[in-house]
Amino acid sequence: MSHRISLTQYLIEQQRGPAQLPSQLRLLIEVVARACKTIAISVNKGALGDVLGTAGSENVQGEVQKKLDIIANEVLIEANEWGGHLAAMASEEMDDIHVVPNRYPQGEYLLLFDPLDGSSNIDVNVSIGTIFSVLKHSDGHAVSTSSFLQPGTAQVAAGYCVYGPQSTLVLTVGQGVVMFTLDREQGSWVLTQDKLQIPEDTKEFAINMSNMRHWAPPVKRYIDECLAGKEGVRGKDFNMRWVASMVADVHRILTRGGIFMYPWDQREPNKPGKLRLMYEANPMSFLVEQAGGASTNGLQRIMDMQPTQLHERVSVVLGSKNEVERVTAYHREAQ
Ligand code: P6P
């Protein structure tokens, strides 16, 4: 790209262009992006900033919270509650929704986030990130948890920030997928990719192989075929990557293709999967589809799923379209 533009200029262009980006939504995205800069500063301090280690508490998922989980959550809440663009927020780190306090004006949007995804990587200096999803509060009633229970197709924006060797913000408002890199000297997000596209084919899969003995047969069939390489039915060798940070794995797939799978397995058979639908799978699915990829739960398009609970989990198969379609076909054949 010859002339680099800032996030603000990109959003103003989206306001004027076909997206007709509403000004409240533009403000929301700018506020979230600014909050991610603040989180990046804390993440980058590491041991120098007393941000590592556990907070001595558990979240609604029953997972031990890291100090940075709570810091990131508080940054996003404080940054977003006064601006007048939101009615309420929901977070992986909070049992219930956070309604904008009466002392501030309420807006028409709902913001959902995983404030710090990949927490198990914090203390070992591996990329982590923030994932966010934006819905409209359109049920005409006082905002409540049920206001959030909308399918992924209702999202008006989604994105993530990866806190890695670079801090990158990846965003869609329904007009394709763009990437911004944090210019630390200027303190601003600079557009560095204006049309992320996922190749329809790939030779790279991402899955936690240690769970192999617990997988359903269609998943085992697919991975076995990948492992069989060029001598097997696929006729080509595959590579494997697993960062155990969804943001990092999805960022790689948006950048060079691949398939990411966190499927249902027998370890907790009553749970449909590990990842959360509302603030992990849906925003990532929106981004992946906008970049020409696909995203299913093995049987149906994730973005078509009607949520019933705020923190519900889902099985995830996303990335290069032809591979996702193959895995989905294997599941349907096994029904
Ligand atoms: P496992 C991180 O905790 C997370 O929610 C995702 O970011 C990541 O893909 C997954 O869990 C890793 O899970 O079981 O491999 O540690």
Side-chain angles (χ1 to χ4, degrees):
M1 292 177 66
S2 55
H3 169 58
R4 297 200 189 288
I5 64 172
S6 68
L7 173 65
T8 300
Q9 183 174 343
Y10 171 79
L11 293 173
I12 287 172
E13 289 174 358
Q14 291 303 311
Q15 255 184 291
R16 295 173 185 156
Q20 294 287 299
L21 195 72
S23 56
Q24 271 204 359
L25 181 54
R26 179 190 134 206
L27 171 61
L28 188 164
I29 294 169
E30 288 196 293
V31 168
V32 170
R34 198 173 305 121
C36 288
K37 274 195 288 187
T38 305
I39 295 168
I41 291 166
S42 290
V43 167
N44 289 151
K45 281 182 182 160
L48 301 177
D50 185 27
V51 295
L52 301 183
T54 59
S57 52
E58 285 189 352
N59 64 15
V60 64
Q61 331 287 343
E63 294 165 340
V64 173
Q65 289 179 305
K66 296 291 185 75
K67 288 178 187 171
L68 268 172
D69 284 324
I70 294 175
I71 292 167
N73 193 60
E74 287 168 355
V75 166
L76 284 159
I77 295 285
E78 287 162 17
N80 281 285
E81 62 180 359
W82 50 267
H85 50 279
L86 284 184
M89 292 175 253
S91 166
E92 179 188 274
E93 300 304 330
M94 301 187 301
D95 299 7
D96 303 314
I97 65 169
H98 178 86
V99 178
V100 168
N102 291 332
R103 63 182 180 278
Y104 299 125
Q106 274 209 0
E108 59 182 339
Y109 293 101
L110 304 172
L111 177 65
L112 304 95
F113 46 82
D114 179 356
L116 207 71
D117 175 69
S119 304
S120 61
N121 286 317
I122 292 173
D123 297 347
V124 293
N125 196 18
V126 171
S127 296
I128 48 184
T130 298
I131 309 171
F132 65 92
S133 170
V134 185
L135 296 167
K136 286 198 77 168
H137 174 218
S138 51
D139 60 12
H141 306 300
V143 67
S144 67
T145 300
S146 60
S147 308
F148 285 80
L149 301 182
Q150 303 177 43
T153 48
Q155 292 174 102
V156 293
Y160 62 79
C161 190
V162 184
Y163 310 116
Q166 309 106 43
S167 288
T168 50
L169 174 69
V170 176
L171 170 71
T172 185
V173 293
Q175 301 291 316
V177 182
V178 290
M179 180 165 81
F180 300 85
T181 301
L182 182 59
D183 176 339
R184 294 182 183 284
E185 284 141 24
Q186 300 282 338
S188 57
W189 292 108
V190 176
L191 184 69
T192 46
Q193 279 270 9
D194 60 2
K195 190 170 176 50
L196 284 168
Q197 280 290 313
I198 300 177
E200 291 193 347
D201 294 302
T202 184
K203 295 181 180 177
E204 199 160 67
F205 66 87
I207 194 167
N208 183 335
M209 291 294 285
S210 70
N211 300 326
M212 180 179 273
R213 65 189 182 283
H214 305 301
W215 294 337
V219 175
K220 184 100 175 34
R221 173 185 173 192
Y222 175 75
I223 296 296
D224 283 346
E225 289 177 356
C226 291
L227 295 175
K230 63 163 72 77
E231 292 77 28
V233 295
R234 299 302 309 273
K236 61 182 181 180
D237 290 337
F238 281 76
N239 193 14
M240 194 211 90
R241 288 285 182 276
W242 186 250
V243 183
S245 242
M246 188 184 195
V247 284
D249 284 312
V250 171
H251 188 72
R252 184 187 58 255
I253 287 166
L254 277 165
T255 307
R256 71 184 189 208
I259 182 170
F260 170 95
M261 301 167 73
Y262 212 114
W264 169 93
D265 68 47
Q266 293 167 355
R267 288 175 297 166
E268 295 186 279
N270 299 328
K271 288 182 181 175
K274 173 178 184 182
L275 302 177
R276 291 79 174 182
L277 174 62
M278 298 302 295
Y279 39 78
E280 288 177 330
N282 268 341
M284 292 309 201
S285 298
F286 190 12
L287 289 160
V288 162
E289 289 198 6
Q290 281 287 312
S295 178
T296 75
N297 68 349
L299 288 169
Q300 73 172 106
R301 184 185 180 214
I302 282 178
M303 289 203 351
D304 286 337
M305 297 177 72
Q306 176 55 51
T308 55
Q309 291 172 19
L310 188 62
H311 297 292
E312 74 180 69
R313 298 170 187 266
V314 66
S315 178
V316 178
V317 180
L318 62 77
S320 291
K321 189 173 182 187
N322 293 340
E323 293 302 311
V324 172
E325 287 176 356
R326 175 183 288 266
V327 173
T328 305
Y330 289 0
H331 279 79
R332 288 177 179 159
E333 284 168 27
Q335 274 192 310

